[in-house]
Amino acid sequence: MFTNYLKAYLRNLWKNRTVTFLNIIGLAVGITCSTLIFLWVEDEFNWDHQFTKKKYLYQVEDNQTYDGNTYTFPATPGPLAAGMKADIPGIAATSHLTWTNQALFSLDDKPLYEPGNFCDPSFLTMFNMNFTEGVPATALNDLHSLVISREMATAFFGTADPMGKILKMNNADQYTITGVFEDLPRNTSFRFHWLANYQAFFQRNQWLEKWGTNGIMTFVELKPSADAAAINKVFYNYVDSKYPGASMKGFIFPMSDWRLYSAFKNGKQDPANGRIQYVRIFTLIAWIILLIACINFMNLATASSERRAREVGVRKVLGAGKGKLIGQFIGESLLMAFLAVIVSIGLTALALPAFNSLVEKQLALNLLSPLHLIGLLAIGLLCGVLAGSYPSFYLSSFNPVYVLKGLKVRAAGGAVFIRRGLVILQFATSIVFIITTMIIYQQLQYVQHRELGYEKKGLFYMSQQGKMNDHFDAIRNDLIHTGFVSNATLSTNSVLQLGSNTGDFEWTGKDPKKQVLITVENVSPQYISTMNMKLAAGRDFHEIAAQDSNNIIINETLAHIISKHDVVGSLITRDGGKEKWRIVGVIKDFVYNDMYQSADPLILFCDPVNTYTMSVRLKPNADVPKALAATEKVLKTNNPGYPFEYSFVQDDFENQFKTETLTGRLSGIFAALAIFISCLGLFGLAGYAAERRTKEIGVRKVLGASVSALIRLLSADFLLLVLLACVIAFPIAWLIGHNWLGNYAYRTGIRWMIFVLSGIGALLIALLTVSFITIRASLANPIKSLRTE
C-alpha cells in the first residue's frame, strides 16, 4: 500500500513539475535561512564552552552611584583578589587579570606585537587552559615566566620546541617560555596570545596596592557547594569594610552571562538589552521565514486542488475515509518537506563560507552531530505538518458525487479567504522586514554622520612605546616637516574611548551629598588643536606644558553642572582641598565612548608625561600611504627597535557599529529572501489563476478586450492583496522602529519616505512577479482556449 501511495505521489509531483519546483525551492530556501540563523544562535549560546569550570567562574563587577545613577564597571582594587580568597567562604580561587594590551616581543632581530595579559598563576587552572607543553599549575610560578599560544609559538619558533626559550618584552625584560596552550577559539571572551605573571606588572604599577583605586579585573572560582547569591550579600559592602567611604558595591557576575546578558541598567542586569536581543531578533526572523515558506506550500496546494479532485473522489468511492486521506496528504507533505531539507543541506553548505565571512564566525553544519541532525529532522517534520495540515483537510473534504460527475470544484469562500489572508501575511511580513532594514540603515546613518565635536578623518594614533614620550617634541617637529602632518599630540587614550573617571572632585556651590562621575584625561598642549575641537570659552593650554600643570580645561557638560554662569577662573579641588586646579578653558562637548549618547562630564589635564597614546593629524590632501611611510621613518629614527603599528580613528569609529551594521545587513539579506519566497508563491498562484480563467480570457479577447485591459484584470487581485499587506505592515513597522530599534531614524525627517518607498517597492515587486504570467495569458490565442466549446 505504501509503495502504491509513493508511486502515485511521485507521478503527481512529476505531472505538476512547476508547483513541485516552487514548493521545494521555497521550502529549501526558508530552511536554509533558518539553519544559518540557528547555527549562529547556537554559537552565541556556546560562548566560552571550552572552559570546563564555566558554571563556577565569575567576574567581579563594581557598582558605583553618582547623582542618583548607578554605573557598572569591571575595574576593581588590586588587593581584592587576595582579600576575597581569604575572607569570603565559598571561594575556591581568585586571580587578577590586566586589560589586554599589545606588547612587543622580540627574538634576535624578529620583533612582533602580540596581545596578552598579566595574571596570577591560579588563572591557568581556574580556566583549564589546554596546554600542549608545560604544566598549568606551575607554569607562571616564576616572576618572568611566560606562557604563549601555539600560534605565537609558531610565529617565533616555527616547528622548534619553544620551551625554555627566551623572549624579550618591550625591549626590556626577558621572559622564559614555560608553557604553550592551544589557540583560543573565536567564540570566547578572551583574546590573548600570551599570559605572564601578574607580579611583574604589579612591580611597575604599585598604585594597585591601594583599596581605593580601581584598575584591575578580578575573577573568582566558586566551590561546587557555594551559593553565589549568599556570596553577593557578604561581598556587597566588603570593599567599604576595607576602605571606609569606598563607592564600590561589588557583586560576582557568572561566566554564563558574560556574552548575552552583559547589559546593565542602573546597577542591575537589563535582560531586554545586550546581545541577547539580537539572538531573539534573529531567532524570530528564522521562524518567520520558515512560516512564509510553509504558507507558500499551503497556498499552492489548495489553489491547485482541482487537479486532484477526481483522485480524491475515486479514493472516497473505493472506501477511503477522510482520516486516511488526511494521513496520505500529510505524508506527501512530509515527503516534500524532507526533499526540501535535503536540498537545503546543499544550499547551506554553499552559503556557509560567505555567511561565516559576514558574521566573522567559524560555523559548520555537522550532520554527525546529534543536535544538528535532530534539528534538521525537527524542522522537516514541523514544515511538513504545518504546511500540509490545511491542504490535507481541504482536499479530503471534496464531495465525490460532484467531482466524479465532472462538475467543477468551486473553492469554498473560507478557502479563498484563507488563501488570500496567507498571501497578505506573507507580504506584510516581508514589508516589515524591508522597513526594519531601512530604519536600521537610517539609524546608522544618523549616528555615523552626527557632529562629534572633532574631525575623525585623517586622524590616526598609536600606543607609546620605548622613548616616544621622552622624544615627543622631536618626533612632532619631524612629522610636521615631512609635509604630510599638520599636528600631533599625546593623551591617555584614543579620543573615541576615554577610560578613566572618578567622582571625588569638589567645587564651590557643589552639594556635598551629590557625587558627579567625571571622565579624566591627561593630554599634551596640542590636544585640542590636533583633534580640531572648538573652545566655547577661555583659552587653550600653553605650548609649554609646565605652565599649565595646575590648570584644567573642562567640557560644556561639566561647566553647566558647576554653574549656570561663566566658570573660567573657578577652582576644582580634590582630597579636601589639598589638590587644586583652575579652569582656564571650556571646550564644546565632543562624543566619546557611547556614540548614541551625549557627552559625559570631562576634565582635561595638561600632563603629557602620564600619557600612553600618540595621535597624528594628517593634512587634508595628504597622500595617506606616503604619509604613513614618512611617519614610520620618523619614529624609527627617534625611537628605534619598535615596529610601526597604528589605527585610524575613522576605522575604529566604524567598528563601534559592527553589531548594528551586521544586524542591518542580515536583516536586508533575509528580507530579500523572504520577498523571494513570497514571490515564488505569488508566481505559482498567478499561474494557476490564469489557467483557471483561460476560457474567460479567450471570450474577453473575442469580444474585443485589449491586452492591457486583460493584464489589469489579472493583476488587480494580487496587487490589492499586496496593498492590504502594506496597510497591515506599516503600523507594525512603526512600532518596531519607534520602540525596539530606537528613535534615531525619525529625527532625520524621512520616516514617511521609508514607508512610502517600501510600499511602492512591494507593489512593483508583486507586479513584476505576476506580469510574466499575466502578459503570457493575455497574449495567448483565444482560438486554442475556445475550440472545445
Side-chain angles (χ1 to χ4, degrees):
M1 182 64 71
F2 174 76
T3 304
N4 291 335
Y5 280 146
L6 182 61
K7 287 180 180 178
Y9 180 56
L10 292 176
R11 279 198 302 268
N12 184 62
L13 289 182
W14 181 249
K15 184 179 178 181
N16 301 290
R17 292 185 291 275
T18 301
V19 174
T20 300
F21 174 79
L22 293 176
N23 266 332
I24 290 179
I25 291 299
L27 275 175
V29 170
I31 293 171
T32 300
C33 290
S34 62
T35 300
L36 292 172
I37 293 174
F38 289 143
L39 287 174
W40 181 85
V41 170
E42 179 193 26
D43 185 77
E44 290 294 314
F45 277 107
N46 284 339
W47 209 260
D48 292 322
H49 71 285
Q50 74 275 14
F51 299 118
T52 57
K53 296 182 180 180
K54 180 177 178 178
K55 63 181 180 180
Y56 304 120
L57 294 173
Y58 293 75
Q59 182 173 5
V60 176
E61 296 284 346
D62 167 16
N63 275 342
Q64 298 182 26
T65 302
Y66 299 94
D67 195 19
N69 297 313
T70 301
Y71 303 89
T72 303
F73 307 101
T76 61
L80 182 63
M84 291 182 71
K85 178 74 165 37
D87 300 337
I88 300 180
I91 293 180
T94 61
S95 175
H96 300 93
L97 188 72
T98 61
W99 315 105
T100 301
N101 78 98
Q102 292 277 352
L104 176 67
F105 287 91
S106 52
L107 177 68
D108 299 327
D109 59 346
K110 186 177 185 179
L112 292 174
Y113 283 106
E114 296 285 352
N117 308 73
F118 291 87
C119 65
D120 294 324
S122 56
F123 184 90
L124 303 180
T125 53
M126 288 170 60
F127 287 86
N128 289 114
M129 299 298 297
N130 186 11
F131 271 54
T132 59
E133 297 184 61
V135 181
T138 59
L140 289 182
N141 283 356
D142 295 333
L143 183 65
H144 289 102
S145 53
L146 180 74
V147 297
I148 61 177
S149 68
R150 175 178 287 186
E151 179 184 343
M152 183 172 169
T154 302
F156 277 105
F157 305 102
T159 58
D161 183 8
M163 292 294 289
K165 301 290 177 59
I166 293 176
L167 291 176
K168 183 179 288 187
M169 184 188 291
N170 294 328
N171 289 334
D173 298 328
Q174 293 185 334
Y175 284 78
T176 303
I177 298 173
T178 55
V180 178
F181 57 86
E182 289 285 2
D183 296 335
L184 296 175
R186 284 193 179 185
N187 58 343
T188 183
S189 299
F190 300 110
R191 291 290 180 269
F192 50 74
H193 288 181
W194 58 268
L195 292 169
N197 193 310
Y198 169 74
Q199 291 302 319
F201 178 82
F202 175 71
Q203 286 184 358
R204 299 192 304 273
N205 298 273
Q206 295 200 7
W207 53 271
L208 285 169
E209 67 182 358
K210 299 177 182 178
W211 278 97
T213 305
N214 298 329
I216 199 79
M217 291 183 286
T218 302
F219 295 87
V220 301
E221 176 191 340
L222 300 190
K223 295 177 181 178
S225 59
D227 180 9
I231 289 176
N232 274 331
K233 288 182 180 179
V234 175
F235 183 48
Y236 185 73
N237 287 312
Y238 177 74
V239 175
D240 189 63
S241 69
K242 298 290 184 179
Y243 185 77
S247 56
M248 175 179 174
K249 304 297 180 184
F251 64 95
I252 55 174
F253 184 48
M255 191 179 205
S256 57
D257 288 354
W258 291 358
R259 176 65 174 178
L260 298 179
Y261 299 94
S262 59
F264 290 89
K265 185 177 182 180
N266 209 26
K268 296 181 180 179
Q269 272 185 279
D270 184 6
N273 289 302
R275 198 166 180 85
I276 188 62
Q277 70 173 322
Y278 297 105
V279 172
R280 291 171 181 150
I281 289 171
F282 287 116
T283 301
L284 179 62
I285 288 174
W287 289 117
I288 289 174
I289 291 177
L290 271 182
L291 179 62
I292 290 174
C294 291
I295 288 173
N296 262 3
F297 187 96
M298 293 183 195
N299 276 339
L300 292 173
T302 54
S304 59
S305 56
E306 271 187 39
R307 296 172 181 170
R308 304 193 66 182
R310 289 185 183 276
E311 176 193 344
V312 173
V314 170
R315 289 186 181 279
K316 282 196 170 185
V317 168
L318 294 176
K322 188 172 183 179
K324 198 168 186 179
L325 289 170
I326 290 173
Q328 175 194 339
F329 294 131
I330 287 287
E332 293 177 0
S333 174
L334 287 171
L335 180 59
M336 179 83 76
F338 283 112
L339 287 174
V341 168
I342 293 172
V343 174
S344 76
I345 291 172
L347 293 176
T348 301
L350 292 174
L352 261 177
F355 188 72
N356 278 332
S357 177
L358 179 63
V359 300
E360 297 182 353
K361 290 181 180 287
Q362 295 173 326
L363 307 177
L365 179 61
N366 183 7
L367 295 179
L368 299 179
S369 166
L371 180 62
H372 290 185
L373 188 59
I374 292 172
L376 285 172
L377 292 175
I379 289 175
L381 183 63
L382 177 66
C383 289
V385 173
L386 181 63
S389 56
Y390 177 70
S392 63
F393 281 97
Y394 178 67
L395 286 168
S396 63
S397 67
F398 287 166
N399 189 327
V401 174
Y402 289 107
V403 297
L404 293 179
K405 281 184 177 181
L407 299 176
K408 204 164 191 174
V409 177
R410 297 184 62 83
V416 174
F417 176 78
I418 290 175
R419 195 156 62 238
R420 290 178 176 176
L422 292 175
V423 171
I424 291 172
L425 178 61
Q426 275 187 312
F427 270 89
T429 304
S430 302
I431 292 165
V432 169
F433 276 174
I434 293 172
I435 294 174
T436 301
T437 301
M438 294 177 71
I439 289 174
I440 293 172
Y441 174 78
Q442 289 299 328
Q443 177 172 312
L444 286 173
Q445 288 296 302
Y446 169 79
V447 178
Q448 291 177 339
H449 292 88
R450 68 181 294 192
E451 177 58 46
L452 298 179
Y454 54 88
E455 179 55 57
K456 61 182 182 294
K457 293 182 180 179
L459 181 67
F460 67 94
Y461 67 94
M462 65 211 76
S463 297
Q464 293 182 37
Q465 301 285 354
K467 300 293 184 181
M468 284 176 65
N469 192 294
D470 296 339
H471 299 165
F472 173 67
D473 289 338
I475 291 172
R476 177 172 174 267
N477 288 333
D478 289 349
L479 287 174
I480 292 174
H481 287 149
T482 64
F484 299 109
V485 174
S486 62
N487 212 339
T489 188
L490 302 178
S491 58
T492 309
N493 304 282
S494 162
V495 67
L496 285 177
Q497 295 291 334
L498 308 185
S500 300
N501 46 52
T502 182
D504 55 0
F505 288 107
E506 303 290 337
W507 53 82
T508 302
K510 180 176 179 291
D511 185 347
K513 297 180 180 180
K514 181 179 178 181
Q515 280 192 309
V516 178
L517 187 64
I518 300 174
T519 302
V520 294
E521 182 77 0
N522 294 332
V523 301
S524 68
Q526 306 83 10
Y527 186 76
I528 293 175
S529 56
T530 300
M531 299 300 164
N532 285 348
M533 295 175 179
K534 305 296 182 183
L535 280 167
R539 63 169 176 84
D540 199 349
F541 289 127
H542 284 294
E543 188 67 25
I544 301 174
Q547 295 184 13
D548 275 319
S549 60
N550 293 319
N551 296 326
I552 57 175
I553 294 175
I554 65 175
N555 68 351
E556 290 177 305
T557 298
L558 181 55
H560 294 153
I561 292 173
I562 293 174
S563 175
K564 295 181 180 179
H565 307 290
D566 185 14
V567 297
V568 175
S570 303
L571 290 177
I572 287 183
T573 64
R574 187 165 60 182
D575 196 15
K578 295 179 182 178
E579 296 179 275
K580 298 179 181 179
W581 298 271
R582 187 173 300 280
I583 300 172
V584 296
V586 178
I587 55 169
K588 290 185 176 294
D589 285 337
F590 65 91
V591 182
Y592 59 90
N593 293 351
D594 189 343
M595 298 296 110
Y596 291 96
Q597 302 298 329
S598 55
D600 292 324
L602 169 73
I603 296 178
L604 298 180
F605 292 89
C606 191
D607 184 8
V609 174
N610 294 304
T611 57
Y612 309 104
T613 304
M614 186 175 82
S615 300
V616 178
R617 166 71 63 188
L618 298 180
K619 290 183 177 179
N621 297 319
D623 185 312
V624 175
K626 291 181 179 179
L628 293 175
T631 301
E632 181 178 12
K633 183 178 180 180
V634 168
L635 289 174
K636 286 186 175 181
T637 300
N638 290 277
N639 190 45
Y642 291 88
F644 176 52
E645 289 202 351
Y646 60 89
S647 297
F648 274 91
V649 172
Q650 175 78 33
D651 295 337
D652 286 359
F653 179 80
E654 291 174 358
N655 284 334
Q656 297 256 354
F657 310 102
K658 183 178 289 186
T659 301
E660 292 88 341
T661 302
L662 174 63
T663 302
R665 288 177 178 173
L666 290 179
S667 297
I669 291 170
F670 293 131
L673 290 172
I675 286 286
F676 171 74
I677 296 170
S678 300
C679 288
L680 284 179
L682 194 62
F683 184 84
L685 289 175
Y688 179 69
E691 181 184 330
R692 288 196 66 189
R693 303 176 73 175
T694 300
K695 289 184 172 57
E696 177 192 344
I697 293 169
V699 171
R700 288 181 180 274
K701 289 195 74 173
V702 169
L703 294 177
S706 65
V707 172
S708 59
L710 290 173
I711 292 174
R712 288 196 299 272
L713 173 69
L714 294 173
S715 304
D717 286 345
F718 295 106
L719 295 180
L720 179 60
L721 293 180
V722 176
L723 188 60
L724 288 173
C726 292
V727 173
I728 293 172
F730 286 174
I732 297 173
W734 179 282
L735 291 174
I736 292 174
H738 193 74
N739 298 320
W740 199 352
L741 298 177
N743 201 32
Y744 301 104
Y746 298 99
R747 298 178 187 173
T748 62
I750 61 170
R751 54 184 174 179
W752 292 113
M753 185 171 64
I754 291 176
F755 285 79
V756 170
L757 287 177
S758 61
I760 293 173
L763 289 170
L764 287 175
I765 291 171
L767 181 60
L768 289 172
T769 301
V770 302
S771 61
F772 174 77
I773 297 293
T774 56
I775 292 172
R776 187 179 66 176
S778 302
L779 293 174
N781 190 342
I783 295 175
K784 293 182 180 180
S785 60
L786 297 176
R787 64 186 173 185
T788 59
E789 296 299 316

